[in-house]
């Protein structure tokens, strides 16, 4: 084993960095003969002095080493007496005389935080960032009589992230790698392997020390240059500008490549472009029109606040009336501060102006956690450096009060169904309800009486761009992207709980906006929505890949496995018949898979989607994860189809619109598409059925939710021997149905969704009559205010008729009879359609039932039941009813992509 020679070393410097180098050199076996550091500040020792004193190493604290550029004799004598073989200077802020530098056998090495010869001088890291260097690092060099001009011993470099600050770059690289490199450099000297490479003059730069009075921002520069200037001075000394004559300092700068946010404009003294204060900070503009965003600002008083609160009333500054227990906490906090700062504490004392550094912040936070069981963030200390302000922060945290602005929106408030309703009416982007970009609105109508419920914001293409931008940021770099799968599931569970707490309110809104009967809305529209979120919440931490045995690359081996990953930003377009349930069927699976979403509700039924958005914020979903854009399909839906950053689009609606969407998605960026489209679902009723059940469920198959049901039985085939009795009993059932106010608990049948659809139903029935079908009942609007349509029955419908081929999407029962025993014939007619969403069969002959089920070309087959959907059972159609599945495990496949990974090993 190689033995490294040890040396007698004098360490000259300060800070935690110096202390860590000191510890490493001792660990490596070297003898530290003395430590030279700074004099105490307010009775507080430098970390290097403290580390040395703790192990009995001599510590020397000089205010200066020279007078009139000559070494002080007493200092020189004390130093010489140590007989050091090497001086190690890990960050030394004092000027060391040449006599000291050259005295040891191996002279002196110094750590410098730049890639010399670039950025010589005391503010090297600042200038690395201010100059926008792509690469940065540090040098260890042999000291000479110049300023950072000695020969290079060792250098280390790394990339500089465009958003690095002094703190992040130092902590990420310069600090940990610099300590290791100092140890390595000493070992190289001890083993006579240390080079001495003369610094080239080419590329040499010297920049002055940055001081507060020298770092006023010049806004007549490109945004990237301003950004580099701000981050290069964050947190010391802090770049600033004047706003209303006051010096305002900026921190936490990041380049902003998104659209200009909506917010409050704040003029900057003498600058062309106003700043924009928004929910995520403050936008600043360069002379090129590009932007950067700062997250914190500091007033001239030293008070630091989130930039998003600039110019607003700050609740964190409000004084609280302290309880006796909290007064005791105040005394304990003063003791903690005194232990750190070694000075008397009053309420106006500034933590940092009293000499505290970044390590003191960590110590302060830990002592508060131990003493009070209260967790503070590092930013809490920086935002509240004055004792009294931090005390109020501690009290607020102890009481569970956060400094976040409360979630508010411009609410619609009405009374209905014996309750007070409160819901949003604006577009929902990045966890904010805002007006559409052009301020346009439209009326959403109550179909029960055609009164206006409220005005709703009508989204624009710009709103789509903003929503997609927010969703992309959330997916790629936001809090959502960092969540564990199980934590994601907890958010979905929490959202389901909130939906359940608000289920009566949601059902009432659904009834008002869509015409759904309240009791049905409560059980199905809302009830199944809640079940869907709970079901997919349970899937979040069970999405997994497989290991696959492939042929090995002998003599080595291979391991191949798959990963199931989210797709990214997904767009969802839902119909008006089940506004919240269709939203839930798609969004729950989408979110469980880890995606973010932009959803367009049907233009005529936007309100429960917007209420859902409100609940998602209350549940804790991060900004950008869920975005809701009410508006027209031709504008909003088309913009979503064509958007290059949307990677998946899920649609439920008509087949013609589905074809248009698929074409647009293919032309745009070949985004993944799933479509749940139209239906003409056959229901075959054999003469050996339970007729009571067949009549009851047959009526439900057609008239459920006013016939506005994608899987509604679009055509009933009834065996000839029971046909007339079946029709008679259906008419009797219809007569019992109560048509009227959907909020009335005894109502069976509510209004159609909107006037255009009602008119379409009237035209549909007129065509049926003209084609020769027999209109047994209904076929017209009810003699009532509102959009009520009579439950309708047609018989003698033949295969060639339009009403036999096209769905009505309303309460219209289409009945055809077939010859007893002609199973093949009825199957041929049942499958003679371009649709294949659902189907059904009623018979007590299990063999016949299974034969028919095998032969029906539809995504769902019901046997002796109908409309029996469940969140665990996949749902979707064949042929022109679309492709892809909602619900069940299969729904996750629509929002996941599979990655195959193969590695080779010995």
């Amino acid at each position: 084993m190689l033995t490294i020679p040890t040396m007698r070393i004098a360490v000259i410097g300060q800070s935690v960095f110096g202390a860590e180098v000191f510890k490493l050199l001792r660990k490596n076996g070297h003898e530290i003969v003395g430590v030279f550091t700074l004099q105490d500040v307010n009775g507080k020792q430098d970390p290097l002095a403290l580390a040395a004193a703790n192990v009995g190493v001599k510590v020397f604290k000089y205010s200066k080493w020279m007078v009139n550029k000559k070494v002080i004799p007493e200092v020189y004598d004390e130093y010489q007496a140590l007989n050091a073989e090497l001086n190690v200077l890990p960050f030394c802020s004092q000027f060391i005389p040449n006599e000291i530098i050259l005295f040891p056998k191996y002279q002196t090495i110094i750590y410098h935080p730049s890639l010399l010869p670039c950025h010589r001088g005391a503010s090297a890291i600042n200038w690395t960032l201010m100059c926008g260097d792509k690469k940065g690092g540090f040098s260890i060099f042999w000291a000479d009589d110049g300023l950072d001009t000695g020969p290079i011993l060792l250098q280390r470099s790394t990339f500089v992230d465009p958003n690095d600050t002094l703190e992040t770059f130092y902590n990420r690289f310069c600090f940990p790698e610099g300590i290791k490199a100092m140890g390595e450099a000493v070992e190289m000297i001890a083993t006579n392997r240390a080079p001495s490479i003369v610094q080239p003059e080419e590329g040499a730069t010297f920049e002055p020390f940055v001081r507060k009075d020298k770092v006023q921002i010049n806004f007549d520069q490109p945004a990237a240059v301003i950004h580099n200037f701000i981050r290069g001075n964050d947190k010391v000394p802090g770049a600033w500008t004047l706003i209303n004559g006051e010096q305002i300092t900026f921190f936490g700068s990041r380049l902003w490549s998104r659209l200009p946010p909506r917010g409050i404009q704040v003029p900057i003294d003498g600058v062309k472009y106003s700043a924009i204060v928004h929910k995520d900070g403050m936008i600043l503009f360069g002379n090129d029109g590009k932007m950067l965003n700062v997250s914190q600002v500091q007033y001239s008083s030293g008070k630091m606040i989130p930039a998003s609160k600039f110019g607003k009333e700050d609740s964190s500054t409000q004084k609280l009336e302290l309880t006796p227990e909290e007064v005791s906490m105040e005394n304990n906090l003063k003791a903690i501060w005194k232990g750190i700062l070694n000075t008397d504490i009053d309420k106006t004392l500034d933590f940092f102006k009293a000499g505290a550094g970044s390590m003191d912040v960590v110590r302060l936070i830990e002592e508060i956690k131990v003493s009070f069981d209260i967790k503070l963030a590092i930013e809490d200390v920086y935002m509240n450096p004055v004792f009294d302000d931090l005390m109020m922060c501690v009290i607020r945290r102890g009481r569970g009060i956060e400094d976040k602005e409360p979630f508010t929106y411009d609410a619609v408030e009405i009374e209905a169904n014996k309750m007070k309703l409160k819901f949003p009416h604006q577009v929902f982007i990045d966890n904010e309800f805002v007006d559409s970009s052009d301020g346009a609105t439209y009326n959403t109508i109550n179909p029960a009486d055609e009164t206006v419920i409220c005005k709703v914001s009508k989204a624009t293409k710009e709103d789509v761009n903003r929503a997609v931008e927010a969703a992309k940021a959330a997916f790629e770099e936001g809090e959502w992207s960092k969540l564990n799968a199980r934590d994601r599931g907890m958010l979905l569970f929490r959202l389901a709980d909130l939906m359940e707490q608000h289920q009566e309110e949601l059902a009432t809104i659904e009834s008002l906006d869509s015409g759904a009967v309240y009791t049905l809305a409560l059980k199905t529209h809302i009830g199944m929505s809640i079940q869907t979120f709970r079901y997919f919440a349970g899937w979040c931490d069970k999405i997994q890949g497989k290991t696959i045995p492939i042929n090995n690359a002998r003599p080595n081996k291979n391991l191949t496995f798959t990963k199931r990953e989210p797709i990214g930003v997904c767009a969802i377009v839902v119909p008006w018949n089940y506004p919240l349930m269709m939203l839930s069927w798609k969004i729950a699976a989408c979110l469980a898979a880890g995606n973010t979403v932009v959803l367009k509700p049907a233009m005529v039924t936007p309100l429960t989607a917007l209420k859902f958005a409100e609940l998602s914020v209350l549940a804790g979903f991060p900004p950008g994860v869920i975005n809701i854009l009410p508006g027209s399909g031709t504008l909003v839906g088309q913009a979503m189809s064509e958007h290059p950053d949307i990677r998946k689009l899920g649609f439920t609606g008509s087949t013609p619109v589905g074809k248009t969407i698929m074409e647009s998605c293919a032309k745009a960026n070949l985004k993944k598409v799933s479509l749940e489209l139209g239906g003409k679902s056959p229901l075959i009723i054999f003469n050996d059925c339970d007729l009571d059940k067949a009549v009851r469920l047959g009526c439900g198959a057609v008239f459920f939710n006013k016939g506005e049901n994608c899987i509604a039985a679009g055509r009933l085939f009834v065996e000839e021997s029971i046909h007339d009795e079946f029709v008679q009993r259906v008419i009797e059932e219809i007569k019992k149905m109560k048509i009227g106010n959907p909020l009335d608990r005894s109502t069976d049948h509510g209004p159609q969704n909107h006037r255009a659809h009602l008119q379409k139903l009237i035209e549909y029935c007129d065509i049926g009559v003209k084609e020769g079908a027999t209109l047994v009942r209904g076929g017209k609007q009810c003699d009532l205010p509102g959009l009520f349509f009579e439950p309708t029955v047609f018989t003698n419908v033949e295969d060639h008729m339009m009403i036999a081929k096209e769905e009505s999407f309303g309460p219209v029962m289409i009945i055809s009879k077939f010859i007893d025993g002609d199973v093949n014939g009825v199957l041929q007619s049942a499958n003679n359609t371009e649709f294949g969403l659902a189907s059904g069969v009623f018979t007590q002959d299990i063999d016949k039932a299974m034969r028919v089920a095998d032969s029906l070309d539809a995504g769902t087959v019901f046997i002796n039941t109908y409309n029996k959907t469940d969140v665990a059972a996949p749902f979707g159609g064949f042929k022109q009813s679309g492709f892809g599945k909602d619900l069940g495990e299969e729904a996750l496949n629509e929002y996941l992509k599979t990655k195959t990974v193969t590695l080779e090993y010995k």
Side-chain angles (χ1 to χ4, degrees):
M1 183 176 178
L2 180 65
T3 302
I4 304 296
T6 60
M7 291 190 292
R8 294 170 56 82
I9 297 173
V11 178
I12 307 174
Q14 73 280 326
S15 76
V16 175
F17 182 87
E20 293 301 315
V21 170
F22 166 81
K23 294 173 186 176
L24 179 61
L25 296 180
R26 292 189 76 249
K27 180 181 176 182
N28 290 344
H30 300 291
E31 181 185 358
I32 310 301
V33 295
V35 161
F36 296 83
T37 186
L38 304 175
Q39 291 187 315
D40 296 351
V41 178
N42 294 326
K44 180 184 175 185
Q45 296 189 76
D46 181 85
L48 175 57
L50 193 60
N54 285 340
V55 293
V57 173
K58 290 182 180 179
V59 178
F60 303 88
K61 301 175 184 179
Y62 304 139
S63 59
K64 53 189 173 183
W65 292 69
M66 297 183 289
V67 174
N68 297 326
K69 297 185 178 180
K70 292 184 179 179
V71 64
I72 299 172
E74 295 82 0
V75 171
Y76 187 49
D77 290 343
E78 272 192 314
Y79 170 80
Q80 276 187 310
L82 300 174
N83 196 25
E85 296 177 282
L86 175 70
N87 291 328
V88 173
L89 276 64
F91 271 137
C92 181
S93 61
Q94 295 177 306
F95 287 100
I96 309 301
N98 233 28
E99 293 89 337
I100 305 294
I101 294 291
L102 301 176
F103 177 83
K105 175 182 177 182
Y106 297 106
Q107 299 188 2
T108 301
I109 61 170
I110 304 178
Y111 173 93
H112 185 76
S114 83
L115 299 175
L116 294 171
C118 189
H119 305 313
R120 293 169 177 166
S123 299
I125 305 182
N126 302 70
W127 288 102
T128 296
L129 301 178
M130 283 193 285
C131 293
D133 293 354
K134 305 294 184 186
K135 185 168 73 171
F138 57 82
S139 305
I140 298 172
F141 68 97
W142 303 96
D144 63 7
D145 58 356
L147 186 64
D148 308 329
T149 57
I152 303 296
L153 188 160
L154 178 153
Q155 286 186 325
R156 294 284 184 270
S157 65
T158 188
F159 72 98
V160 179
D161 186 88
N163 290 307
D164 262 329
T165 63
L166 269 77
E167 186 175 6
T168 62
F169 186 67
Y170 177 71
N171 290 334
R172 172 170 63 84
F173 184 77
C174 292
F175 181 83
E177 296 302 319
I179 293 166
K180 290 190 286 187
M182 288 297 280
E184 183 180 343
V186 170
E187 301 310 314
M188 293 171 72
I189 295 168
T191 55
N192 295 313
R193 296 181 295 112
S196 180
I197 304 168
V198 176
Q199 290 189 38
E201 285 305 310
E202 183 180 356
T205 61
F206 174 83
E207 290 93 359
F209 180 71
V210 291
R211 300 183 315 196
K212 191 71 175 182
D213 62 333
K214 301 293 185 184
V215 290
Q216 183 175 2
I217 301 166
N218 173 16
F219 281 94
D220 191 20
Q221 302 178 91
V225 176
I226 298 171
H227 163 68
N228 289 335
F229 189 76
I230 293 173
R231 72 190 181 110
N233 290 285
D234 183 346
K235 295 256 191 296
V236 179
W240 57 275
T241 192
L242 293 176
I243 298 179
N244 292 327
E246 182 179 3
Q247 187 180 89
I248 303 296
T249 305
F250 298 127
F251 303 99
S253 176
R254 296 180 71 87
L255 292 171
W256 185 269
S257 57
R258 295 168 62 175
L259 292 166
R262 296 166 176 170
I264 302 169
Q265 293 200 342
V266 176
I268 299 175
D269 297 8
V271 177
K272 177 181 177 182
Y273 296 105
S274 293
I276 302 174
V277 175
H278 62 113
K279 72 182 186 69
D280 292 321
M282 181 188 290
I283 290 291
L284 306 174
F285 289 85
N287 63 6
D288 54 358
K290 295 183 178 180
M291 296 165 284
L292 57 138
N293 188 62
V294 292
S295 58
Q296 295 111 33
V297 298
Q298 186 178 40
Y299 293 106
S300 55
S301 65
K303 172 70 174 176
M304 189 182 290
I305 63 167
S308 60
K309 293 185 177 181
F310 184 80
K312 302 177 183 178
E313 183 179 348
D314 187 0
S315 61
S316 68
T317 62
Q318 296 175 359
K319 299 301 179 184
L320 303 173
E321 191 73 30
L322 302 188
T323 66
E325 182 182 356
E326 289 168 343
V327 171
S328 175
M329 289 172 62
E330 182 176 22
N331 294 330
N332 290 339
L333 184 61
K334 282 185 178 180
I336 292 171
W337 273 48
K338 187 167 185 177
I340 296 172
L341 300 173
N342 290 319
T343 188
D344 292 333
I345 310 299
D346 63 44
K347 292 188 175 185
T348 63
L349 184 68
D350 187 294
F351 192 65
F352 299 106
K353 290 178 181 178
S358 58
M359 285 304 297
D360 297 312
V361 173
V362 176
R363 176 181 167 184
L364 176 60
I365 290 172
E366 288 301 310
E367 290 203 40
I368 289 172
K369 183 168 69 174
V370 171
S371 298
F372 310 131
D373 194 26
I374 293 172
K375 292 182 180 180
L376 295 187
I378 288 175
E379 289 304 318
D380 286 326
V381 180
Y382 282 111
M383 297 288 189
N384 301 278
V386 175
F387 178 84
D388 201 32
D389 292 338
L390 188 69
M391 182 61 209
M392 289 300 108
C393 179
V394 170
I395 297 300
R396 288 195 304 276
R397 294 294 179 273
R399 294 181 183 182
I401 301 172
E402 294 291 336
D403 294 332
K404 296 178 182 177
E405 294 184 27
F407 177 62
T408 58
Y409 63 88
D410 181 29
V412 175
E413 297 186 36
I414 61 175
E415 289 192 21
N417 201 20
K418 298 181 180 179
M419 65 178 71
K420 293 182 178 179
L421 304 176
K422 176 184 174 185
F423 51 85
H425 64 98
Q426 298 163 294
V427 298
F428 180 71
I429 301 174
D430 213 14
N431 275 19
E432 284 188 303
F433 287 103
V434 294
D435 290 335
S436 59
S437 63
D438 62 1
T441 63
Y442 68 94
N443 293 331
T444 187
I445 304 297
N446 180 346
D449 57 13
E450 294 192 274
T451 58
V452 174
I453 301 172
C454 66
K455 289 188 176 297
V456 177
S457 291
K458 189 176 182 181
T460 65
K461 187 173 182 179
E462 180 184 326
D463 294 323
V464 173
N465 291 336
R466 286 186 182 276
V468 174
E469 191 179 66
K472 185 179 181 183
F475 180 78
E476 293 181 350
E477 60 193 45
E479 183 184 342
W480 180 253
S481 67
K482 303 175 182 67
L483 276 181
N484 294 321
R486 201 159 296 163
D487 294 333
R488 192 164 65 243
M490 291 305 297
L491 278 179
L492 266 68
F493 276 122
R494 198 178 305 154
L495 180 53
D497 290 344
L498 280 169
M499 291 169 70
E500 186 170 48
Q501 292 169 27
H502 290 263
Q503 60 183 331
E504 293 183 349
E505 186 179 9
L506 286 166
T508 302
I509 296 170
E510 191 92 317
S511 186
L512 291 173
D513 206 24
S514 75
V517 172
Y518 175 76
T519 52
L520 176 65
L522 195 62
K523 180 181 184 297
T524 302
H525 291 235
I526 312 306
M528 196 171 187
S529 298
I530 296 166
Q531 292 174 26
T532 303
F533 271 95
R534 288 196 172 129
Y535 174 80
F536 282 108
W539 267 111
C540 288
D541 60 355
K542 300 169 188 69
I543 298 170
Q544 53 201 22
K546 299 178 179 179
T547 56
I548 301 175
I550 67 168
N551 289 341
N552 289 319
R554 296 180 180 178
N556 292 345
K557 291 188 176 183
N558 294 104
L559 171 64
T560 295
F561 61 91
T562 59
K563 299 176 66 181
R564 305 286 280 143
E565 298 180 346
I567 292 172
V569 180
C570 297
I572 291 174
V573 180
V574 294
W576 42 259
N577 58 328
Y578 294 101
L580 186 64
M581 193 173 81
M582 290 294 99
L583 173 153
S584 301
W585 281 21
K586 294 187 187 299
I587 277 192
C590 177
L591 296 178
N595 301 287
T596 56
V597 64
V598 180
L599 179 136
K600 191 197 89 64
M603 190 168 178
V604 292
T605 54
L607 297 184
T608 46
L610 295 173
K611 184 66 180 180
F612 167 85
E614 176 195 344
L615 298 181
S616 74
V617 177
L618 299 179
F621 278 81
V625 176
I626 297 170
N627 304 273
I628 309 289
L629 302 179
S632 74
T634 52
L635 195 156
V636 177
Q638 189 67 26
M640 290 161 67
S641 300
E642 296 173 350
H643 203 292
D645 289 331
I646 291 175
R647 293 298 171 185
K648 158 71 198 281
L649 191 146
F651 171 76
T652 294
S654 72
T655 297
V657 174
K659 290 179 178 180
T660 301
I661 285 175
M662 191 171 178
E663 182 181 7
S664 298
C665 290
K667 288 180 178 178
N669 62 346
L670 209 64
K671 59 174 61 71
K672 187 176 182 179
V673 178
S674 59
L675 303 172
E676 196 254 282
L677 306 176
K680 189 64 176 175
S681 301
L683 173 57
I684 302 172
I685 301 174
F686 289 100
N687 60 14
D688 60 353
C689 69
D690 177 340
L691 192 56
D692 289 339
K693 187 175 184 181
V695 170
R696 178 169 45 84
L697 295 183
C699 285
V702 176
F703 303 127
F704 186 82
N705 199 47
K706 311 162 292 175
E708 295 169 354
N709 189 19
C710 54
I711 60 170
R715 189 179 179 191
L716 277 64
F717 296 90
V718 182
E719 207 158 11
E720 189 173 28
S721 58
I722 62 168
H723 174 273
D724 293 348
E725 183 180 358
F726 179 85
V727 172
Q728 180 185 351
R729 293 176 66 169
V730 164
I731 298 301
E732 291 172 359
E733 288 297 314
I734 291 174
K735 290 178 181 178
K736 298 174 187 176
M737 293 170 60
K738 180 179 178 180
I739 302 172
N741 180 6
L743 293 175
D744 187 330
R745 304 308 193 264
S746 63
T747 296
D748 299 299
H749 191 81
Q752 303 309 134
N753 188 274
H754 52 282
R755 177 157 287 281
H757 180 52
L758 176 71
Q759 191 59 44
K760 190 175 178 181
L761 287 174
I762 295 171
E763 293 170 1
Y764 182 91
C765 292
D766 288 344
I767 292 172
V769 171
K770 290 175 183 177
E771 287 185 323
T774 302
L775 178 61
V776 177
R777 184 178 177 87
K780 64 181 185 297
Q781 184 174 358
C782 295
D783 187 18
L784 292 170
L787 305 178
F788 295 91
F789 188 78
E790 290 188 2
T792 298
V793 178
F794 276 100
T795 60
N796 298 318
V797 179
E798 298 178 8
D799 289 356
H800 65 84
M801 295 178 180
M802 184 277 286
I803 62 173
K805 296 178 180 180
E806 300 294 330
E807 70 175 331
S808 67
F809 214 66
V812 181
M813 183 178 284
I814 307 295
I815 302 176
S816 301
K817 71 174 69 170
F818 67 96
I819 298 172
D820 284 12
D822 188 10
V823 177
N824 289 336
V826 75
L827 283 171
Q828 184 176 348
S829 293
N831 285 329
N832 186 25
T833 173
E834 273 298 298
F835 300 106
L837 188 56
S839 59
V841 55
F842 280 84
T843 176
Q844 296 189 74
D845 184 339
I846 188 63
D847 294 328
K848 186 192 298 181
M850 292 306 299
R851 175 189 168 191
V852 171
D854 289 344
S855 301
L856 286 170
D857 194 12
T860 295
V861 180
F862 297 110
I863 299 177
N864 294 326
T865 188
Y866 209 89
N867 283 327
K868 181 61 178 175
T869 54
D870 188 90
V871 295
F875 180 94
F878 300 160
K879 298 184 287 189
Q880 291 196 46
S881 287
F883 49 83
K885 297 292 183 182
D886 289 323
L887 304 180
E889 181 182 0
E890 285 195 39
L892 292 168
N893 296 331
E894 306 301 326
Y895 299 97
L896 291 166
K897 57 189 179 185
T898 300
K899 178 182 289 182
T900 302
V901 180
T902 297
L903 62 90
E904 192 165 310
Y905 62 98
K906 293 181 181 179

